[in-house]
Amino acid sequence: MYEIKPSPKFKINYAATGEEAILQNATFLLSTMWNTCPMHREFGWEPPVDDPSEFAKASSSVRIIETLERNIPEITVQDIKFEHDEENALLIPRVKVVINNG
């Protein structure tokens, strides 16, 4: 099981292969704001701003699972926990995933 989370200082390793590439792709997806990729507007996810409620966490969890499993079929989401970044008024997901064999 691996843990991934969005990172504003995410560095891409262009030589990544195997599990490292899969995890890098998932981290990149979580680090990308929804509707910001011109040729793929549904790529990324939209974090709730200024809403640390349980409803925001639940609805974000659903969107994260759908987005990750639709775009990266090699992984399965096992658990999502949230940190509240009070400085930027954001919920930051910590997503536990497993890489599917086969």
Side-chain angles (χ1 to χ4, degrees):
M1 189 170 314
Y2 301 93
E3 183 176 279
I4 57 173
K5 69 178 192 172
S7 173
K9 298 177 183 174
F10 181 68
K11 302 279 187 204
I12 296 175
N13 175 4
Y14 292 100
T17 59
E19 290 182 358
E20 181 185 0
I22 293 168
L23 295 171
Q24 176 176 275
N25 292 342
T27 302
F28 180 72
L29 181 67
L30 285 180
S31 300
T32 304
M33 295 292 288
W34 183 78
N35 203 25
T36 59
C37 292
M39 299 302 285
H40 191 352
R41 293 288 182 189
E42 294 179 2
F43 188 82
W45 77 289
E46 186 174 18
V49 177
D50 246 359
D51 187 6
S53 69
E54 292 302 313
F55 177 76
K57 291 176 184 177
S59 62
S60 290
S61 293
V62 170
R63 282 185 274 153
I64 289 169
I65 292 168
E66 288 174 348
T67 299
L68 284 172
E69 291 184 356
R70 177 180 60 240
N71 289 290
I72 307 170
E74 297 90 0
I75 65 171
T76 302
V77 175
Q78 295 293 309
D79 187 38
I80 302 175
K81 298 215 183 307
F82 289 91
E83 298 173 358
H84 183 223
D85 178 357
E86 297 201 17
E87 182 179 324
N88 297 312
L90 290 173
L91 287 174
I92 300 172
R94 299 178 77 85
V95 183
K96 290 189 179 175
V97 298
V98 293
I99 297 176
N100 304 327
N101 293 329

